[in-house]
């Protein structure tokens, strides 16, 4: 199905944005995030409860008949924009988008039960693949023998917060409870402390079969994750640009705001243009996912190929235009830079998405 993309925000989407932003303003300020990532528990469980259970945002992508809110990727994208603005340490992308999309591709009572649990927000799921995994990749790190899973997967995002793992194997897609015997989660040192990684090891762990073939569900999940990650990157870039403009207006040198200097005006104008274009690509990807467009693969590849480098560039410029204030640990810019850098290699690099785009539009290099 191919339709004209709608890049604008509806009234309902703006109302959703306002509600999420108000919650994050009250419960996810910069000081709170900095304190959280320096603690032994980097995930904010109270914030997740507010978002997922109280506001019902964990089930946005799940149809009402399967226990969710029956919304679409457009609404989920708005939530991710706001979470990106706050670099919120919650597993929304990994559980409410990626794991949920994998389950939506599965049929049967077992898949419905896990999906309903994730939609309620009381259960957190994690697709057990490396955060760097791109759509289309095969996953054979874990093998299944008669329902018992054995193997090891590194770089799994938000694994320490997960209650259930969705594990792709050559024998199908399985659900494994994090509390089951034979399951070990070992935290890794993560460049982005707001999205911690871990190594998940299965030693004859009991799995419940969700689908006989894992590849379609995994591809769907990673494609949706990559497409909506662009909205999270957009939100972070918008916050960085807004804060940098504010700072350059307030910071004075030679008795005038540093933002009035022509060279800085040009740099800020360039960042504004990049963010505007990033918004267009991110909204296009979200709309394509929501409408089931024939151009969804192209839209997702374009969004990641463009938005990921923009988020990194805006973060680097924000750091410089704040006069190197990122060396001051109390300022949150370093969290945004780390999130931008880690997201740039999450779910496929920009180069990987450009290669896929070239294949899709038949413009391969000679």
């Amino acid at each position: 199905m191919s339709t004209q993309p709608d890049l604008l925000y509806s009234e309902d989407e703006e109302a959703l944005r306002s509600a999420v932003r108000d919650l994050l303003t009250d419960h996810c300020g910069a000081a709170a995030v900095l304190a959280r990532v320096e603690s032994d528990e980097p995930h904010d469980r109270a914030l997740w409860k507010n978002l997922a259970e109280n506001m019902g945002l964990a089930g946005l992508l799940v149809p009402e008949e399967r226990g969710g809110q029956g919304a679409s990727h457009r609404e989920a994208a708005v939530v991710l924009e706001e979470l990106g603005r706050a670099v919120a340490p919650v597993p929304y992308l990994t559980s409410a988008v990626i794991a949920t999309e994998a389950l939506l591709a599965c049929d049967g009572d077992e898949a419905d039960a896990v999906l309903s649990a994730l939609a309620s927000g009381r259960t957190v799921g994690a697709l057990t693949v490396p955060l760097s995994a791109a759509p289309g990749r095969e996953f054979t790190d874990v093998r299944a023998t008669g329902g018992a899973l054995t193997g090891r997967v590194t770089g799994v995002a938000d694994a320490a917060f997960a209650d259930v793992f969705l594990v792709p194997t050559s024998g199908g897609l399985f659900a494994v409870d994090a509390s089951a015997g034979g399951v070990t989660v070992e935290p890794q040192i993560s460049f982005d402390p707001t999205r911690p990684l871990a190594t998940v090891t299965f030693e004859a762990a009991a799995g419940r079969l969700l689908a006989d073939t894992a590849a379609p569900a995994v591809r769907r999940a990673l494609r949706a994750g990559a497409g909506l990650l662009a909205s999270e990157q957009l939100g972070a870039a918008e916050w960085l640009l807004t804060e940098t403009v504010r700072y350059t207006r307030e910071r004075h040198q030679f008795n005038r705001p540093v933002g009035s200097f022509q060279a800085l005006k040009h740099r800020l104008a360039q960042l504004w243009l990049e963010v505007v274009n990033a918004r267009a690509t991110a909204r296009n990807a979200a709309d394509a996912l929501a409408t089931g467009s024939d151009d969804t693969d192209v839209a997702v590849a374009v969004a990641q190929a463009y938005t990921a480098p923009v988020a990194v560039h805006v973060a680097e410029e924000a750091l410089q235009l704040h006069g190197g204030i990122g060396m001051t640990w109390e300022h949150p810019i370093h969290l945004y830079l780390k999130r931008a850098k880690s997201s740039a290699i999450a779910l496929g690099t920009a180069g990987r998405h450009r290669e896929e785009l070239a294949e899709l539009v038949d413009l391969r290099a000679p």
Side-chain angles (χ1 to χ4, degrees):
M1 181 174 62
S2 180
T3 59
Q4 190 71 20
D6 180 6
L7 307 186
L8 302 178
Y9 298 96
S10 68
E11 290 185 9
D12 288 342
E13 288 164 2
E14 290 293 2
L16 174 62
R17 180 195 306 283
S18 178
V20 175
R21 186 174 295 188
D22 287 346
L23 175 66
L24 294 173
T25 299
D26 292 338
H27 299 283
C28 194
V33 176
L34 284 164
R36 173 70 55 184
V37 299
E38 291 178 359
S39 71
D40 295 331
E41 179 56 68
H43 291 101
D44 192 333
R45 295 181 181 274
L47 177 60
W48 175 252
K49 181 179 176 65
N50 277 321
L51 286 166
E53 291 188 52
N54 299 346
M55 294 185 69
L57 300 183
L60 283 181
L61 297 179
V62 181
E64 292 183 21
E65 61 270 19
R66 299 185 74 176
Q69 303 300 320
S72 75
H73 300 81
R74 292 175 59 91
E75 288 79 13
V78 169
V79 174
L80 281 164
E81 283 182 35
E82 294 307 307
L83 295 177
R85 286 179 62 89
V87 286
V90 292
Y92 193 85
L93 179 70
T94 48
S95 182
V97 176
I98 297 175
T100 294
E101 283 283 341
L103 289 166
L104 287 170
C106 302
D107 297 319
D109 293 340
E110 191 64 59
D112 282 345
V114 180
L115 181 62
S116 179
L118 262 60
S120 72
R122 291 185 289 274
T123 297
V124 174
L127 183 64
T128 313
V129 301
L131 180 61
S132 60
R137 176 179 159 184
E138 295 292 328
F139 302 95
T140 58
D141 295 322
V142 181
R143 64 182 184 278
T145 306
L149 275 59
T150 301
R152 183 171 180 268
V153 185
T154 61
V156 181
D158 298 324
F161 196 69
D163 301 300
V164 60
F165 294 111
L166 309 182
V167 189
T169 74
S170 58
L173 183 67
F174 290 82
V176 180
D177 292 331
S179 59
V183 179
T184 304
V185 179
E186 181 182 357
Q188 297 176 229
I189 296 175
S190 306
F191 184 69
D192 175 11
T194 64
R195 181 170 284 147
L197 307 180
T199 297
V200 184
T201 303
F202 303 100
E203 296 179 0
R208 307 186 300 279
L209 184 64
L210 301 174
D212 293 330
T213 305
V218 173
R219 174 168 177 75
R220 171 175 174 166
L222 296 183
R223 183 181 72 166
L228 294 185
L229 175 60
S231 291
E232 184 187 276
Q233 292 164 322
L234 168 65
E238 287 183 326
W239 183 91
L240 286 162
L241 178 57
T242 300
E243 283 300 302
T244 304
V245 170
R246 181 192 61 78
Y247 177 79
T248 56
R249 284 175 174 171
E250 295 178 355
R251 172 73 183 273
H252 282 66
Q253 195 171 37
F254 306 116
N255 293 321
R256 57 186 290 194
V258 296
S260 66
F261 293 110
Q262 192 76 356
L264 297 193
K265 285 183 178 180
H266 287 172
R267 289 171 71 173
L268 289 168
Q270 178 61 36
L271 295 182
W272 182 83
L273 287 173
E274 292 180 8
V275 170
V276 167
N277 289 333
R279 184 183 299 116
T281 63
R283 290 301 294 169
N284 184 48
D287 186 71
L289 286 163
T291 59
S293 169
D294 293 338
D295 296 327
T296 299
D297 287 344
V298 171
V300 169
V302 168
Q304 270 306 303
Y306 185 82
T307 308
V310 165
V312 172
H313 183 220
V314 175
E316 291 173 342
E317 286 286 86
L319 182 65
Q320 288 195 4
L321 294 174
H322 272 76
I325 200 168
M327 297 301 293
T328 302
W329 192 256
E330 289 76 13
H331 198 284
I333 278 188
H334 66 92
L335 295 178
Y336 288 85
L337 178 59
K338 291 170 183 173
R339 173 66 70 88
K341 286 282 192 179
S342 66
S343 295
I345 59 174
L347 303 171
T349 63
R352 166 68 177 78
H353 287 286
R354 282 193 291 270
E355 290 175 2
E356 182 179 3
L357 180 61
E359 293 284 340
L360 289 169
V361 300
D362 197 25
L363 283 175
R364 294 177 293 273

